Amino acid sequence: MTGVASFTIRSYRCLDAAGRPVAEPLPPFARDRDALVALYRAMVLTRTFDAKAVALQRTGRLGTYPSCLGQEAVAVGVGAAMRAEDVLLPYAREQGAQLLRGVTLEELFLFWGGDERGSDYAGPRQDFPIAVPVGTHAPHAAGVALAFKLRREPRVAVCVSGDGSTSKGDVYEAMNVAGAWRLPLVFVVTNNQWAISLPRSRQTAAETLAQKAIAAGFEGEQVDGNDVVAVRHRVETALAKARDGGGPHLVEALTYRLSDHTTADDASRYRDDEAVGREWKADPIVRLRAYLTAAAGWTKDDEERLLGECAAEVERAAEAYLARPPQSAASIFDYLHDELPRDLAAQRAAVAAAGDRNPDR
């Protein structure tokens, strides 16, 4: 018998759980205090927004919301690595990446409050809206990347999804076509160990999720998803390769979902508090703060000032969201087509008329 193929999945980390460097040399940006503070601020702002969103949902002022608690380093690392001209196709926990790319806090509140204006981004006009269905945006990402290739544009599509998505046909098909056509597409799989209540161990027999890229004909790797320095560095490397014609790449970011799946979930029904408590020791924000303190002179005053700024920024956005008059019921039709078909136009007119007769509807 002759072996015909073999592969190795590499794993990357720059900072350990205590914030100590474990890879030398560190990426150049990791020696730039301003760059590190920007990453840290983005993670703190994301967590502050997250806590406010949960509080608004619990008091009936926001819809069902998926917390990104504990996963901030993945989204922030991705957002920091991307260029403005790239296109982000997010799943539901990429708040940190969206904020770095110019989506506003108020827009995020609007989206999770059920207002379509939350997807009409003031900043990244070509970034896709949040994809709540699992994995359905992966074929869209392949289409975006194909457009870049056909137009000969040095741009990259970035598709972020969870570990559960890698068991979906949509994702396999998108990866297959990306490999076959060598598309400028980077898949980031946020492996937070849980697909709602299904643990990673019961979802797939694959030793890593990164190796699923091998079957599609391109490289996959793992990165410590609680190490924002490593995430940014590895995603930047993958983006550079894709931008230069090297084809797609998959980055599996290992992290943990410290929260319930959404505010409609009770994770205590399928996992124990002791296991979650152990994962808190790998908190990505604590890790980068420790490194900032040791290597860049981050002080208690710096910390208190930043926390105050982020809290004030989130509160202003929440107040603006709550003060925004709701859309009319008829507006549900306004985001379906550039020009409504006749039957839908008639329905819209009927809903609008009903709303005029009963303004409270």
Side-chain angles (χ1 to χ4, degrees), residues 16-350:
D16 67 14
R20 296 180 295 250
V22 294
E24 293 293 348
L26 291 176
F29 70 82
R31 298 188 291 275
D32 181 336
R33 187 181 192 276
D34 291 343
L36 290 174
V37 170
L39 291 173
Y40 185 64
R41 186 187 193 282
M43 287 199 293
V44 171
L45 181 63
T46 300
R47 185 166 292 186
T48 307
F49 165 82
D50 194 76
K52 184 65 176 181
V54 172
L56 288 173
Q57 190 281 329
R58 296 306 192 203
T59 53
R61 294 177 289 173
L62 201 74
T64 300
Y65 173 75
S67 173
C68 60
L69 182 65
Q71 301 180 200
E72 297 89 352
V74 180
V76 168
V78 169
M82 294 176 68
R83 292 183 182 177
E85 63 268 24
D86 296 330
V87 168
L88 176 67
L89 294 96
Y91 175 47
R93 304 182 202 273
E94 279 65 68
Q95 296 91 327
Q98 291 184 288
L99 291 171
L100 278 177
R101 291 187 55 73
V103 177
T104 69
L105 290 164
E106 185 181 352
E107 286 167 348
L108 288 179
F109 280 130
L110 283 167
F111 176 86
W112 293 110
D115 192 317
E116 291 292 343
R117 290 172 293 188
S119 295
D120 187 16
Y121 306 140
R125 298 295 296 171
Q126 294 192 1
D127 279 6
F128 274 49
I130 295 165
V132 175
V134 177
T136 57
H137 59 310
H140 302 160
V144 171
L146 177 59
F148 293 161
K149 183 169 184 175
L150 293 175
R151 296 171 184 168
R152 302 183 187 277
E153 296 175 347
R155 305 167 68 188
V156 184
V158 179
C159 178
V160 187
S161 61
D163 46 290
S165 74
T166 64
S167 296
K168 291 289 297 293
D170 316 58
V171 174
Y172 279 113
E173 291 157 18
M175 289 170 57
N176 185 65
V177 75
W181 294 346
R182 294 184 63 78
L183 299 180
L185 172 54
V186 173
F187 296 92
V188 178
V189 176
T190 305
N191 182 357
N192 67 15
Q193 314 302 321
W194 293 94
I196 308 183
S197 58
L198 187 69
R200 156 74 174 82
S201 60
R202 291 179 55 197
Q203 181 194 144
T204 176
E207 189 172 354
T208 70
L209 301 181
Q211 72 197 59
K212 297 192 176 190
I214 306 300
F218 57 92
E219 186 179 358
E221 65 180 59
Q222 283 188 340
V223 67
D224 185 337
N226 292 328
D227 177 359
V228 70
V229 174
V231 174
R232 174 178 165 176
H233 175 55
R234 295 315 304 168
V235 174
E236 278 183 338
T237 302
L239 287 168
K241 183 184 80 169
R243 205 182 310 280
D244 291 342
H249 195 96
L250 187 152
V251 178
E252 176 191 359
L254 299 172
T255 183
Y256 194 84
R257 194 192 78 212
L258 293 173
S259 64
D260 296 329
H261 175 68
T262 69
T263 50
D265 176 42
D266 177 7
S268 66
R269 297 176 63 185
Y270 52 83
R271 66 183 190 186
D272 61 81
D273 291 342
E274 184 179 349
V276 178
R278 289 195 299 269
E279 296 295 336
W280 269 103
K281 297 176 182 178
D283 185 338
I285 290 180
V286 172
R287 183 180 307 199
L288 184 57
R289 182 169 67 235
Y291 179 66
L292 269 173
T293 301
W298 188 254
T299 67
K300 182 179 179 181
D301 287 344
D302 292 328
E303 181 74 10
E304 291 178 352
R305 186 181 310 111
L306 176 62
L307 292 175
E309 291 172 355
C310 290
E313 190 174 343
V314 168
E315 285 300 321
R316 285 194 299 270
E319 290 171 6
Y321 154 68
L322 293 170
R324 180 81 72 99
Q327 293 175 297
S328 68
S331 69
I332 193 173
F333 295 91
D334 296 340
Y335 303 91
L336 300 174
H337 303 272
D338 183 41
E339 183 176 344
L340 277 178
R342 186 179 304 174
D343 60 334
L344 291 182
Q347 291 180 38
R348 188 193 188 286

Side-chain angles (χ1 to χ4, degrees), residues 10-26:
R10 292 180 171 82
S11 181
Y12 296 90
R13 172 188 278 183
C14 292
L15 305 176
D16 67 14
R20 296 180 295 250
V22 294
E24 293 293 348
L26 291 176

